[in-house]
């Protein structure tokens, strides 16, 4: 499980993962072996992954994906990746980025990222060969700075500037895939509130909150928040929260051995009885039935 402050330590402790660079906001992975031993992960940082050989299949928050050589997976923060299956020759290069650094890279284009990641769930990019080669050369340039002494003046600034170019390029490719969703102008206040709601929802890891909680964080009324969500996405704020909570429950019941009481506490339910009723209402079975026999 990869989450929160344990994220980097988890990667560092795995001898089959080669980390090229890391700081509090960025982790760059050069390669990974024995990936098949990782069947699931709760990834706390946004990720951009290039498949350099082989292929991998998995499920991201209920959506089935398949990544082949020369394809790129773009994964938003705090998502659940399960049912991973890889070919024997699978390998990758990946960058993991905190939400703070993504926001600083994208600035006014953050709304494009959020819409595509959370609303339209476009996670796989098929790049032309020349684009793949461009990003490989780009990565090689980054690698040359990774190998510089840590006390080199402006080393971190140069690395972040290069990464910003890569992230902007990926964001441009995403917007080209779905141009009707993209607005290059400064978003209106209503859109800004909706984007902040998405950011809060996916950054509030493993805790179920009410519409009132998010509305208070945004300094607007719960009714107005639901109105904005419905207008921007066709779903109410409560529907967004429910979908997010259901994926958290699915992960903890299917991919961990935590007790029902521990899961209840982890997700912020008031008591196990309420948690059991919630699972029954939304999955049509008890937590035990879902863990051992449900889908």
């Amino acid at each position: 499980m990869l989450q929160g402050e344990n994220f980097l330590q988890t990667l560092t402790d795995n001898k089959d993962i080669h980390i090229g660079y890391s700081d509090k906001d960025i982790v760059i992975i050069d390669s990974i072996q024995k990936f098949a031993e990782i069947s699931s992960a709760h990834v706390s940082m946004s990720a951009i992954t290039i498949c350099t050989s082989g292929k991998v299949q998995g499920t991201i928050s209920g959506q089935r994906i398949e990544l082949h050589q020369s394809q790129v997976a773009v994964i938003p923060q705090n998502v659940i990746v399960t049912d991973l299956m890889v070919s024997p020759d699978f390998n990758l290069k990946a960058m993991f980025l905190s939400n703070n650094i993504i926001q600083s890279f994208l600035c006014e284009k953050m709304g494009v990222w959020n819409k595509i990641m959370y609303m339209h769930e476009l996670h796989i990019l098929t790049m032309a060969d020349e684009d793949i080669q461009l990003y490989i050369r780009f990565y090689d340039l980054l690698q040359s700075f990774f190998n510089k002494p840590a006390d080199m003046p402006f080393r971190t600034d140069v690395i972040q500037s290069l990464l910003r170019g890569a992230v902007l390029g990926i964001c441009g490719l995403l917007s080209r895939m779905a141009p009707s969703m993209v607005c290059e102008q400064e978003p209106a206040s209503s859109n800004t509130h909706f984007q902040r709601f998405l950011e809060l929802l996916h950054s509030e890891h493993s805790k179920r909150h009410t519409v009132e909680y998010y509305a208070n964080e945004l300094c607007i009324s719960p009714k107005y928040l639901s109105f904005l969500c419905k207008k921007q996405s066709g779903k109410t704020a409560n529907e967004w929260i429910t979908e997010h909570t259901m994926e958290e429950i699915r992960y903890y019941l299917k991919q961990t051995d935590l007790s029902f009481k521990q899961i209840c506490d982890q997700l912020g339910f008031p008591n196990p009885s309420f948690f059991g009723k919630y699972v029954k209402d939304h999955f049509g079975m008890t937590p035990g039935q879902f863990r051992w026999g449900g889908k």
Side-chain angles (χ1 to χ4, degrees):
M1 184 185 302
L2 311 179
Q3 59 184 19
E5 61 186 13
N6 296 323
F7 178 78
L8 179 57
Q9 189 62 47
T10 300
L11 295 177
T12 304
D13 289 344
N14 192 324
K15 295 182 174 58
D16 296 314
I17 298 176
H18 183 246
I19 296 177
Y21 172 83
S22 66
D23 60 34
K24 65 184 180 65
D25 289 309
I26 299 166
V27 180
I28 307 293
I29 292 179
D30 290 334
S31 64
I32 183 169
Q33 282 77 44
K34 299 183 179 178
F35 196 84
E37 295 178 4
I38 305 174
S39 62
S40 64
H42 209 163
V43 185
S44 65
M45 303 173 80
S46 295
I48 300 175
T49 300
I50 299 177
C51 178
T52 56
S53 64
K55 68 177 182 179
V56 59
Q57 296 177 325
T59 301
I60 298 179
S61 296
Q63 180 185 3
R64 192 68 181 166
I65 66 164
E66 187 170 303
L67 184 68
H68 296 264
Q69 184 174 348
S70 298
Q71 287 186 318
V72 177
V74 186
I75 305 171
Q77 66 170 1
N78 279 342
V79 300
I80 301 159
V81 183
T82 59
D83 305 321
L84 286 167
M85 297 177 60
V86 302
S87 63
D89 57 341
F90 175 73
N91 211 334
L92 58 75
K93 293 183 183 297
M95 62 178 78
F96 294 89
L97 307 167
S98 72
N99 195 50
N100 287 336
I101 204 73
I102 286 282
Q103 289 184 357
S104 71
F105 284 170
L106 295 180
C107 300
E108 73 279 359
K109 297 176 178 63
M110 192 68 187
V112 176
W113 175 272
N114 285 338
K115 280 188 177 182
I116 294 172
M117 289 298 96
Y118 300 126
M119 290 174 59
H120 299 270
E121 299 182 338
L122 294 177
H123 298 312
I124 304 296
L125 296 174
T126 300
M127 287 187 171
D129 289 342
E130 58 267 28
D131 288 331
I132 286 289
Q133 291 305 313
L134 174 65
Y135 275 90
I136 289 176
R137 290 196 298 272
F138 186 91
Y139 187 89
D140 290 340
L141 179 59
L142 273 170
Q143 185 70 47
S144 68
F145 282 93
F146 296 160
N147 296 330
K148 298 290 185 182
D151 60 354
M152 170 190 168
F154 312 121
R155 173 177 177 264
T156 299
D157 300 276
V158 172
I159 289 172
Q160 290 191 4
S161 296
L162 290 170
L163 285 172
R164 181 174 186 268
V167 173
L168 282 169
I170 293 292
C171 197
L173 288 172
L174 287 168
S175 64
R176 199 164 63 194
M177 292 173 65
S180 63
M181 305 181 309
V182 178
C183 177
E184 294 295 339
Q185 303 299 318
E186 184 72 19
S189 59
S190 61
N191 191 34
T192 302
H193 281 129
F194 176 64
Q195 298 303 327
R196 280 289 295 138
F197 168 69
L198 290 182
E199 291 166 15
L200 286 170
L201 179 65
H202 290 87
S203 64
E204 291 292 340
H205 176 67
S206 297
K207 289 295 179 184
R208 175 178 170 269
H209 295 294
T210 63
V211 175
E212 287 76 12
Y213 168 88
Y214 291 108
N216 288 337
E217 290 292 307
L218 297 170
C219 299
I220 58 178
S221 72
K223 184 176 180 179
Y224 186 53
L225 175 57
S226 285
F227 167 76
L228 293 180
C229 290
K230 189 71 173 180
K231 180 180 177 181
Q232 294 287 336
S233 68
K235 293 188 289 191
T236 66
N238 192 58
E239 287 172 331
W240 276 102
I241 294 168
T242 298
E243 287 184 8
H244 185 71
T245 302
M246 288 174 66
E247 289 307 319
E248 295 278 356
I249 291 171
R250 190 190 310 275
Y251 174 79
Y252 281 109
L253 287 178
K254 286 294 191 180
Q255 305 298 329
T256 77
D257 57 1
L258 294 178
S259 70
F260 299 150
K261 175 65 166 61
Q262 288 173 316
I263 297 173
C264 173
D265 294 340
Q266 182 78 14
L267 296 181
F269 284 90
N271 54 64
S273 176
F274 189 91
F275 173 68
K277 183 177 186 306
Y278 189 95
V279 174
K280 179 73 172 179
D281 289 344
H282 290 87
F283 292 96
M285 58 190 79
T286 66
Q289 289 171 331
F290 186 79
R291 166 167 276 179
W292 302 114
K295 296 182 179 180

